[in-house]
Amino acid sequence: MIKSLRGMNDILSEDYERFTYFIELASNIAQNYGFHYIETPLLEETALFKRSVGESSDIVGKEMYQFIDKGENDVCLRPEGTAGVVRAFIQKKLDKAGGIHRFFYHGPMFRYERPQKGRLREFHQFGVESFGVASVYEDASMIMMVADILDACGIGYRLQLNSLGDSNCMPQYRENLVKFIESVEDEICEDCKRRKKSNPIRVLDCKNEKCQSLYVDAPKLINSLCDGCQSDFEKLKKILDENNIAYEIDTNLVRGLDYYSKTAFEFVSDNIGSQSAIAGGGRYDRLVEFLDGRATPAVGFAMGIERLMELIVMPEKKREGYYFGAMDEEALELILKLTQQKRKSKKAACDYKAKNLKNHLKGADKINARFCCIIGSNELANNTIWVKDLLNKTEETISLEEF
Ligand code: HAM
């Protein structure tokens, strides 16, 4: 039997209900915040991710579904959504047009990770990207949007916050950090030795316990921010305070992608095991220029839908729509005709087998229909239909005309 690939899941039935419920809810909230839907291809040139997510990241270094296509192009399945949206933004010349452009998207992402609970190779993100707003108020809006979405889903969270500085303060900090890393270099893991050369701040979120114990004494970027970054970070904290959004400052939060500057944030849940990050994002003011566009400030986030699906509190299911059934073979044709008529405007299901009333009522209950509509030989002879309202528990026989 052929099975789905490791770390790749089918989404159906009850899961699909949660999945679409979340997407609809999050899309509505994003639209309330003034965002418009964007769809970008699943397959992109590999160079796009190398240049944006960064060659030093695990995503690009180890986890890409990369191959040479029939036209000898080096392509890969997108591991995340931001790079494609930035590429589209530049390709459509929106960077040259100026102004503010806000997008939201959802869809599958692919990372060749070691699968475990909450960590898939094909997973789905809901994300937003905002271009053209340098103000930290936009960063705050992003965080408030995630909080709104999580609140609407009944999901509790902890928000972790950091500032990664900008081109004024980051280079000096990096130099200080490298000096520190060199002072403990004999004791750190091989990955960190590599990170020291490629992207030193990534050592700070190394999962190795030995490394973490050494980095306790590392210089903190948050103590080395330039005036601009410091003042924005203070403003951000103040806005969150005023909006009753609790946060923790995590000076080791550097995110697994290289494009961030200034604000970086992650929402985590304590109720889903070790893969606890349910959303992550931040500012990436240099990325548009880095991908050959006109310099444009930008900020965004993405949420992992599979991780959220475990946590969503679904609203109580309401009975809706019609179930049609025949008690005699002769009534089947009429039943199908009535179902088709109702389907033009309402949800309607039909059982194509003649059954007794008890079985039809069971069938209607199973699909959570509001009305169970039955035609037997009496009804057929009299041009009537028996209708039971399964919500109000009333029943009546009415003429087909009235129906
Ligand atoms: P990310 O932190 O790599 O950020 O991913 C965002 C979310 O996707 C994570 O918080 C997590 O919920 C989910 N996720 C990531 N990897 C997996 C996986 N293997 N299995 C299941 N869920 C996963 C980004 O992708 C950035 N593009 C976010 C962003 C948008 N930053 C700015 N704009």
Side-chain angles (χ1 to χ4, degrees):
M1 183 180 59
I2 299 175
K3 292 188 178 165
S4 66
L5 297 175
R6 226 177 132 222
M8 301 202 177
N9 287 342
D10 304 306
I11 303 174
L12 68 164
S13 309
E14 231 244 294
D15 283 347
Y16 185 68
E17 268 176 40
R18 284 173 175 268
F19 188 80
T20 48
Y21 172 76
F22 174 76
I23 288 176
E24 202 181 316
L25 180 148
S27 302
N28 283 337
I29 292 178
Q31 287 173 77
N32 289 350
Y33 275 76
F35 285 69
H36 301 276
Y37 187 71
I38 183 170
E39 176 96 27
T40 64
L42 267 55
L43 207 57
E44 297 267 9
E45 248 183 69
T46 302
L48 173 65
F49 301 104
K50 284 195 172 165
R51 278 170 63 185
S52 54
V53 177
E55 302 220 37
S56 73
S57 67
D58 284 351
I59 296 177
V60 169
K62 303 179 187 167
E63 298 168 0
M64 295 236 279
Y65 277 88
Q66 182 184 356
F67 59 96
I68 304 296
D69 75 5
K70 290 189 169 68
E72 300 290 306
N73 305 297
D74 186 350
V75 297
C76 73
L77 286 169
R78 62 181 185 193
E80 58 102 52
T82 309
V85 175
V86 174
R87 188 222 13 88
F89 174 76
I90 298 168
Q91 194 171 334
K92 294 280 181 215
K93 299 193 170 48
L94 300 175
D95 54 333
K96 308 274 183 319
I100 298 169
H101 303 271
R102 296 187 172 106
F103 301 105
F104 73 95
Y105 53 88
H106 45 81
M109 309 290 158
F110 302 84
R111 297 183 192 175
Y112 197 84
E113 297 197 72
R114 198 169 43 77
Q116 62 176 82
K117 186 171 176 287
R119 195 205 274 150
L120 296 161
R121 288 182 174 169
E122 183 188 23
F123 60 98
H124 295 76
Q125 283 186 346
F126 176 87
V128 316
E129 314 293 348
S130 157
F131 299 95
V133 188
S135 159
V136 72
Y137 287 102
E138 190 75 350
D139 310 36
S141 297
M142 294 286 144
I143 292 174
M144 291 195 275
M145 197 195 312
V146 181
D148 278 353
I149 294 172
L150 294 176
D151 287 346
C153 293
I155 298 176
Y157 59 81
R158 280 186 297 117
L159 165 61
Q160 298 172 334
L161 204 59
N162 195 15
S163 172
L164 299 176
D166 62 7
S167 47
N168 286 320
C169 46
M170 181 43 113
Q172 181 61 52
Y173 171 74
R174 194 182 292 124
E175 237 174 73
N176 295 344
L177 182 65
V178 169
K179 272 190 208 137
F180 171 83
I181 300 171
E182 279 164 355
S183 74
V184 292
E185 194 155 4
D186 294 345
E187 298 173 75
I188 61 179
C189 71
E190 289 306 311
D191 272 346
C192 280
K193 285 181 184 156
R194 196 172 42 78
R195 288 177 187 131
K196 189 197 104 184
K197 294 195 193 95
S198 56
N199 188 4
I201 65 159
R202 288 292 321 281
V203 305
L204 296 175
D205 76 344
C206 176
K207 301 289 173 280
N208 185 310
E209 279 179 24
K210 174 86 190 298
C211 292
Q212 272 311 328
S213 68
L214 293 165
Y215 300 149
V216 169
D217 298 325
K220 307 265 181 282
L221 179 55
I222 208 102
N223 300 330
S224 324
L225 296 176
C226 60
D227 290 348
C229 288
Q230 184 66 43
S231 132
D232 273 352
F233 198 52
E234 294 307 322
K235 249 191 233 163
L236 176 63
K237 288 191 289 182
K238 188 161 169 269
I239 302 168
L240 296 178
D241 288 338
E242 279 166 5
N243 284 278
N244 294 321
I245 297 181
Y247 52 84
E248 305 155 10
I249 307 294
D250 180 351
T251 52
N252 288 345
L253 178 72
V254 295
R255 309 270 301 124
L257 310 94
D258 289 355
Y259 47 62
Y260 294 107
S261 54
K262 292 188 157 183
T263 310
F265 60 87
E266 228 159 66
F267 284 74
V268 296
S269 162
D270 295 326
N271 301 321
I272 47 169
S274 65
Q275 298 305 306
S276 60
I278 47 178
R283 186 161 273 284
Y284 50 94
D285 288 344
R286 286 166 304 181
L287 184 57
V288 176
E289 194 177 14
F290 203 65
L291 291 175
D292 304 323
R294 179 181 286 174
T296 307
V299 54
F301 68 79
M303 315 179 80
I305 302 181
E306 280 83 356
R307 291 184 192 172
L308 294 167
M309 272 160 60
E310 281 198 40
L311 301 164
I312 293 173
V313 180
M314 292 289 283
E316 209 181 307
K317 253 196 195 167
K318 273 204 231 127
R319 287 196 173 277
E320 64 163 331
Y322 294 77
Y323 170 100
F324 287 91
M327 284 169 44
D328 291 296
E329 288 281 327
E330 301 81 70
L332 280 174
E333 222 168 278
L334 177 57
I335 281 296
L336 177 61
K337 194 171 144 203
L338 292 171
T339 311
Q340 281 302 102
Q341 278 170 5
K342 271 289 176 232
R343 278 177 178 157
K344 305 269 183 265
S345 59
K346 297 269 181 342
K347 201 168 161 180
C350 173
D351 194 317
Y352 303 124
K353 234 179 173 179
K355 288 179 184 167
N356 65 27
L357 184 60
K358 201 172 146 209
N359 282 332
H360 277 313
L361 282 166
K362 263 194 208 158
D365 193 47
K366 201 168 164 197
I367 62 160
N368 219 24
R370 164 105 191 244
F371 299 102
C372 180
C373 314
I374 306 296
I375 296 186
S377 51
N378 276 349
E379 286 80 10
L380 198 60
N382 299 328
N383 266 335
T384 56
I385 184 163
W386 179 84
V387 181
K388 178 159 185 173
D389 181 337
L390 296 169
L391 183 69
N392 297 331
K393 310 268 185 266
T394 54
E395 54 185 80
E396 58 181 344
T397 301
I398 51 175
S399 71
L400 280 180
E401 212 169 287
E402 196 186 335
F403 182 74

